[in-house]
């Protein structure tokens, strides 16, 4: 009986993992299959669909998404640091309430935030901000709470005696931030920024309201095409953007070194 | 940033007086949040109560929503879809989470990576994958027709089934993570004790693991429900033109029908649905947690 149960458990585990991997494997295979019929035979594989990516209809949205994600990452890192400095490091009066306010956008679904922002911009005369500026602002509202939480988490654990030592040795506040605080919270800062980058680059529910013709992000361009056809070029676009995300994560990890933090600090 | 930049070795008083400078770093993020989040949300809620005649506080827009059968069907479809996804996600996440919580095998890391990594791929890639698999000329239907088991393609996409499959895939990692935290909190000695006392695997699961992981089950159901109810891309693409849920209806009202008060009503209803579910869920979780630890 127990053996049967154990077998059923392992079988269900295998099936669930197969379910998780299946669509991703299919997209990978579709991107290198010569025709719309997907083949898993490596000798037939071709990279012809990837050459189509250099056309401006794919390259422009790709570049816009990269630019957007980079700006959003940098700004939410900066804003998140400022907020965390006051709330988690200096523990300013009312810091718990302020923190709750700063992470409150998390309680609102993205699509609702998107509607609110587009209605606000359109009805208050800020129509010209639709497009890239609106996208940047909306994405920051999405990413800031996550970045703030991760930086604040790192700052709560910060040993204040290090700062006092710096002060005794005559370091200015700016020097203490630059040489003591920043290096210590760097893993938290970079894991937050990596998260922001992925959230912004893959975002649909906010972007869908704010894109303009000529200023459309990559995910929105892809879903607009997907409604009409399942062109294999789309598979290539998806694979290329996944490869880009993975590369970006590796780069962030290289600079920020946050993997030790994720694996529970096995230094 | 602080006013005590110069060298000072006098010990700081433990209770600092309120200094304006402390709040200065909060200005840029707070201004951003007030202008791009708080004010837009307030305006949207106000807009949902504004009448066509200029009245500031009327339920006309809500009445328009609730007297329209198509809209009500959309609301009902949202709840049905989210409920089904919540159940599928929790049932599928449970074995994976249990394995991850208890296994010491070297495959554990592999399973963990496999379970969580797809989240990086984004919704678009995965939806494309499911469409290629499920559509009328897709992989499953081609194989079944080729093998002669069916003559007409099965309706696997452009309906509720396709959306539930796609959303389950999107939400599954979150279900696994919330169940994992809960199961990891169960003392493995309880299982060992039960085993020594002669309990079968099945009764250990039914009488120890399942009851003790109820808070995790609730939080998995909850996160899956709320994520599904507000998902836009998956229902739009895998559901087809006829499959309308609140999220896709809001989008249409804003960009095609340009009926902003009605869009505001739908967004507010989505928000209320979300908040009540979260509140009810956290309450239930806390009550269960208390019951278990008494």
């Amino acid at each position: 009986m127990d053996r049967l149960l154990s077998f059923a458990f392992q079988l269900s585990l295998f099936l669930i993992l197969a379910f998780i991997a299946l669509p991703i494997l299919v997209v990978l295979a579709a991107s290198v299959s010569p025709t719309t019929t997907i083949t898993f035979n490596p000798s037939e594989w071709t990279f012809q669909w990837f050459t189509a990516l250099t056309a401006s209809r794919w390259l422009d949205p790709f570049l816009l998404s990269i630019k957007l994600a980079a700006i959003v990452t940098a700004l939410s890192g900066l804003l998140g640091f400022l907020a965390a400095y006051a709330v988690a490091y200096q523990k300013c009066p009312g810091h718990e309430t302020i923190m709750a306010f700063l992470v409150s956008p998390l309680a609102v679904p993205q699509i609702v935030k998107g509607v609110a922002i587009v209605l606000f911009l359109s009805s208050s005369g800020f129509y010209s901000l639709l497009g890239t500026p609106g996208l940047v602002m909306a994405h920051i509202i999405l990413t800031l709470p996550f970045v703030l939480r991760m930086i604040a988490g790192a700052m709560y654990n910060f040993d204040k005696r290090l700062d006092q030592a710096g002060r005794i040795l005559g370091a200015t506040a700016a020097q203490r931030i630059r040489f003591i605080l920043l290096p210590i919270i760097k893993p938290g800062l970079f894991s937050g920024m990596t998260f922001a980058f992925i959230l912004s680059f893959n975002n649909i529910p906010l972007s869908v309201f704010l894109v303009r013709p000529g200023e459309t992000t990559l995910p929105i361009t892809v879903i607009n095409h997907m409604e009409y056809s399942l062109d294999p070029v789309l598979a290539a676009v998806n694979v290329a953007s996944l490869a880009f995300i993975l590369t970006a994560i590796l780069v962030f990890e290289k600079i920020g070194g946050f993997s030790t933090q994720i694996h529970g600090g096995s230094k | 940033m602080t006013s005590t930049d110069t060298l000072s070795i006098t010990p700081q008083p433990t209770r600092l007086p309120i200094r304006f400078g402390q709040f200065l770093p909060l200005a840029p993020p707070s201004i951003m949040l007030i202008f791009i989040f708080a004010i837009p949300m307030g305006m949207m809620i106000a807009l949902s109560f504004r009448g066509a005649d200029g009245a500031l506080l009327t339920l006309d827009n809500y009445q328009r929503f609730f007297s329209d059968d198509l809209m009500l069907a959309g609301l009902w479809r949202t709840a049905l879809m989210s409920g089904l996804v919540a159940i599928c996600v929790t049932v599928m996440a449970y074995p994976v989470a249990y394995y991850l919580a208890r296994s010491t095998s070297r495959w554990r890391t592999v399973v963990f990576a496999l379970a969580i990594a797809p989240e990086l791929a984004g919704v678009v890639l995965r939806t494309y994958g499911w469409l290629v698999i499920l559509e009328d000329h897709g992989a499953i239907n081609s194989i079944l027709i080729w093998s002669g088991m069916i003559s007409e393609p099965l309706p696997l996409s452009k309906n509720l089934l396709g959306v539930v499959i796609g959303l389950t895939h999107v939400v599954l990692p979150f279900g696994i993570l919330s169940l994992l935290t809960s199961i990891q909190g169960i003392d493995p000695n309880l299982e060992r004790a039960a085993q020594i006392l002669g309990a079968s695997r099945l009764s250990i699961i039914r009488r120890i693991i399942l009851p003790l992981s109820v808070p995790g089950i609730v939080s998995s159901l909850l996160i899956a429900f709320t994520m599904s109810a507000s998902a836009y891309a998956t229902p739009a693409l895998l559901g087809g033109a006829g499959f309308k849920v609140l999220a896709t209806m809001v989008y249409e009202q804003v960009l095609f029908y340009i009926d902003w008060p009605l869009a505001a009503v739908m967004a507010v209803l989505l928000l209320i649905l979300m908040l009540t579910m979260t509140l009810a869920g956290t309450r239930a979780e806390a009550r269960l947690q208390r019951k278990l630890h008494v």
Side-chain angles (χ1 to χ4, degrees), chain A residues 16 20 38 90 115 202 230-231, chain B residues 2 92 120 128 132 169 250:
Chain A
I16 294 162
I20 294 173
I38 295 158
Q90 295 199 314
V115 176
N202 283 338
L230 293 178
D231 194 338
Chain B
T2 63
M92 287 175 75
L120 299 172
Y128 179 86
V132 169
H169 192 262
V250 167

Side-chain angles (χ1 to χ4, degrees), chain B:
Chain B
M1 297 290 158
T2 63
S3 56
T4 52
D5 282 356
T6 46
L7 177 69
S8 70
I9 40 178
T10 46
Q12 296 276 319
T14 43
R15 195 172 283 271
L16 289 166
I18 295 179
R19 277 175 293 117
F20 175 70
Q22 274 187 309
F23 294 100
L24 211 57
L26 283 173
S30 306
I31 291 170
M32 180 93 197
L33 216 59
I34 288 168
F35 278 95
I36 311 299
F37 177 67
I39 293 178
M41 288 295 292
M43 276 188 62
M44 184 187 77
I45 294 168
L47 186 63
S48 75
F49 290 109
R50 188 159 325 145
D53 52 353
L56 285 179
L57 200 65
T58 145
L59 288 174
D60 285 0
N61 301 316
Y62 287 86
Q63 207 167 11
R64 265 201 301 152
F65 181 92
F66 285 106
S67 57
D68 188 325
D69 287 344
L70 281 175
M71 308 251 164
L72 283 176
L75 184 64
W76 163 239
R77 200 176 287 119
T78 308
L80 176 71
M81 170 191 82
S82 310
L84 285 174
V85 174
I87 294 166
C88 291
V89 162
T90 308
V91 168
M92 287 175 75
Y94 206 98
V96 183
Y98 183 73
Y99 173 82
L100 290 174
R102 288 291 183 255
S103 168
T104 48
S105 123
R106 59 203 168 87
W107 289 100
R108 189 188 174 278
T109 324
V110 179
V111 173
F112 189 77
L114 255 176
I116 308 301
E119 218 45 47
L120 299 172
V123 173
V124 181
L125 184 147
R126 293 184 276 169
T127 310
Y128 179 86
W130 282 119
L131 270 175
V132 169
I133 297 167
L134 299 174
E135 62 147 4
D136 288 354
H137 308 287
I140 292 181
N141 277 319
S142 302
I143 293 170
L144 290 178
I145 290 175
W146 173 81
S147 67
M149 286 169 76
I150 51 171
S151 51
E152 288 291 305
L154 296 172
L156 300 173
S157 67
K158 306 290 172 197
N159 55 23
L160 182 66
L161 177 66
V163 178
V164 170
I165 293 175
L167 274 176
T168 299
H169 192 262
V170 171
V171 183
L172 194 55
F174 297 90
I176 293 175
L177 288 178
S178 41
L179 279 165
L180 177 58
T181 329
S182 168
I183 299 175
Q184 267 174 340
I186 303 172
D187 189 350
N189 286 327
L190 290 174
E191 286 163 69
R192 283 189 208 121
Q195 205 168 10
I196 291 166
L197 294 170
S200 70
R201 240 7 262 170
L202 198 65
S203 74
I204 291 176
I205 292 172
R206 221 185 52 220
R207 297 173 61 182
I208 297 176
I209 316 276
L210 273 179
L212 286 175
S213 60
V214 165
I217 296 174
V218 172
S219 75
S220 164
L221 288 171
L222 196 69
I223 194 165
F225 187 94
T226 50
M227 283 185 74
S228 311
S230 58
Y232 166 76
T234 313
L237 293 167
L238 279 165
F243 193 87
K244 295 274 173 268
V245 286
L246 271 183
T248 55
M249 280 156 53
V250 167
Y251 175 77
E252 281 183 350
Q253 290 301 331
V254 172
L255 284 128
F256 296 128
Y257 304 121
I258 328 267
D259 189 340
W260 290 347
L262 200 57
V265 166
M266 291 175 183
V268 170
L269 289 176
L270 194 54
L271 187 62
I272 293 173
L273 181 69
M274 217 48 62
L275 294 180
T276 41
M277 286 301 293
T278 315
L279 207 68
T282 28
R283 280 241 177 118
E285 222 180 305
R287 206 167 48 232
L288 291 163
Q289 204 65 271
R290 265 204 310 281
K291 237 178 173 171
L292 289 178
H293 290 287
V294 167

Side-chain angles (χ1 to χ4, degrees), chain A residues 110 139 142 198-208 217 219-220:
Chain A
Q110 286 192 48
H139 283 200
L142 169 69
I198 302 169
L199 276 180
S200 169
F201 190 82
N202 283 338
N203 187 273
I204 300 169
L206 291 171
S207 303
V208 85
T217 62
I220 305 298

